[in-house]
Amino acid sequence: MTKSDVPKSHPRYLSLQYRNLLVAGVEKCITSLHGLTAHGRGEAFDYLIGEKTFSFAKSAIDAAAALLLLAKHPVISVNGNTAALVPGELVQLVKLIGNNLEVNLFHASKEREVKIKNHLIKHGATKVLMPGKGRIIGIESNRRMISEEGQAKADVVFVPLEDGDRTQALQNLGKRVITVDLNPLSRTAQTATITIVDHVNRVLPLLISQVKAIKKYPKEKLEKIISEYNNKKVLSEAISHINKRLMKLAKSSR
Ligand code: PTJ
């Protein structure tokens, strides 16, 4: 089904649109085939969550906005899925907080790196950092290769939709990590400084608005938002939310 074939009246219109973006991403050699299966796992968790932004995600978004504004050298890491799903939003966000957008892939491909860079430029990026001579100590995957100007120098790294090993390794290097992950049980979700348990396409517009809303806050007010934030509590709320929702659905289908 092509983009234009999805009728707006379809009850799963948005979900089908996101799938189309990823399929187009694969066709343009931006998204890996593995990215499709990763998205499927995300969709399953979104179904369990209820396909809306809940309060646990909203408080993580508020804290993420404050942390990105407080950072001296924030970096947004882009992979094949986020490049296909939210390229324009990533560009908008990076321009509000500095200008460090960095391509970083798990499934190694020079071709995809260059295509993602060009895709981001097409969506308005003026600067896109590429994997270079920097290295993340402690991981062996392709993600270890980073830009010396970007993640190597970063104090805060935003890694939406991430696989298992980089978040902990970045934290071991003293960096703080923000992620977006529909699965509150994943290793990344469990180890990040701030975990936004929500769909990346719902998160980015909200995060951009929140950054705009608090951009002029004094440093102390931003620091207060961070000090009052508790990621363990937010993850626990997300897991309880799924649990309660399933219990309610189970009761109603008796
Ligand atoms: O482009 P590359 O090579 O860097 O690869 C990117 C993927 C995403 C394929 C790679 O990082 C990967 O394999 O990731 P994982 O291990 O599947 O983890 C991705 C996480 O993102 C999972 O926990 C999913 O539940 C979650 N996820 C998937 N789609 C979404 C999502 N979270 C929020 N919004 C989504 N749309």
Side-chain angles (χ1 to χ4, degrees):
M1 190 181 265
T2 64
K3 197 174 173 181
S4 54
D5 290 335
V6 181
K8 279 212 165 127
S9 57
H10 194 288
R12 304 211 46 76
Y13 174 75
L14 270 183
S15 175
L16 293 170
Q17 289 288 73
Y18 300 146
R19 283 188 184 184
N20 278 337
L21 287 174
L22 286 171
V23 170
V26 172
E27 284 165 359
K28 289 181 201 154
C29 195
I30 286 170
T31 310
S32 70
L33 281 173
H34 314 81
L36 300 179
T37 59
H39 186 75
R41 175 157 50 181
E43 278 187 341
F45 275 96
D46 206 16
Y47 215 86
L48 299 179
I49 286 170
E51 296 178 307
K52 278 190 206 137
T53 301
F54 288 91
S55 57
F56 48 84
K58 186 66 184 69
S59 41
I61 288 171
D62 293 351
L67 190 58
L68 287 171
L69 288 169
L70 273 175
K72 290 200 171 63
H73 195 82
V75 171
I76 299 182
S77 178
V78 186
N79 66 28
N81 283 47
T82 53
L85 290 171
V86 281
E89 290 86 345
L90 291 172
V91 170
Q92 265 189 63
L93 179 64
V94 85
K95 287 185 178 171
L96 288 169
I97 56 161
N99 205 7
N100 295 308
L101 210 50
E102 180 173 336
V103 178
N104 182 281
L105 302 183
F106 180 74
H107 302 285
S109 160
K110 286 281 158 224
E111 186 189 5
R112 275 203 305 129
E113 282 171 11
V114 173
K115 293 218 163 141
I116 290 172
K117 177 178 179 173
N118 292 338
H119 186 64
L120 293 169
I121 290 171
K122 223 169 103 189
H123 281 85
T126 47
K127 181 179 153 199
V128 181
L129 300 168
M130 298 295 268
K133 293 203 171 122
R135 294 288 177 270
I136 302 176
I137 307 153
I139 60 171
E140 285 173 17
S141 72
N142 187 63
R143 288 214 188 281
R144 74 188 187 286
M145 290 188 273
I146 54 174
S147 160
E148 285 167 304
E149 249 192 274
Q151 285 180 77
K153 275 201 210 160
D155 52 348
V156 174
V157 190
F158 182 35
V159 297
L161 274 71
E162 176 75 352
D163 41 272
D165 56 359
R166 181 169 50 154
T167 298
Q168 186 62 61
L170 287 172
Q171 306 235 35
N172 293 346
L173 296 173
K175 301 171 196 296
R176 293 200 274 182
V177 181
I178 302 165
T179 194
V180 177
D181 195 332
L182 279 160
N183 175 6
L185 306 170
S186 80
R187 218 146 60 103
T188 299
Q190 291 284 330
T191 49
T193 317
I194 297 173
T195 307
I196 306 169
V197 183
D198 198 2
H199 196 296
V200 75
N201 285 79
R202 292 195 295 268
V203 170
L204 262 294
L206 294 172
L207 184 55
I208 291 165
S209 305
Q210 185 61 12
V211 167
K212 285 182 183 163
I214 64 170
K215 205 169 167 36
K216 297 220 167 88
Y217 275 17
K219 198 173 166 227
E220 297 69 37
K221 208 166 165 184
L222 295 174
E223 279 167 351
K224 191 164 179 277
I225 298 173
I226 307 293
S227 69
E228 286 171 359
Y229 178 77
N230 181 339
N231 206 49
K232 289 267 169 267
K233 186 166 164 266
V234 158
L235 287 169
S236 157
E237 282 167 10
I239 296 165
S240 304
H241 164 84
I242 294 174
N243 186 29
K244 279 190 207 143
R245 193 165 174 270
L246 294 183
M247 296 289 279
K248 207 169 146 194
L249 288 171
K251 269 192 196 150
S252 65
S253 57
R254 259 187 213 150

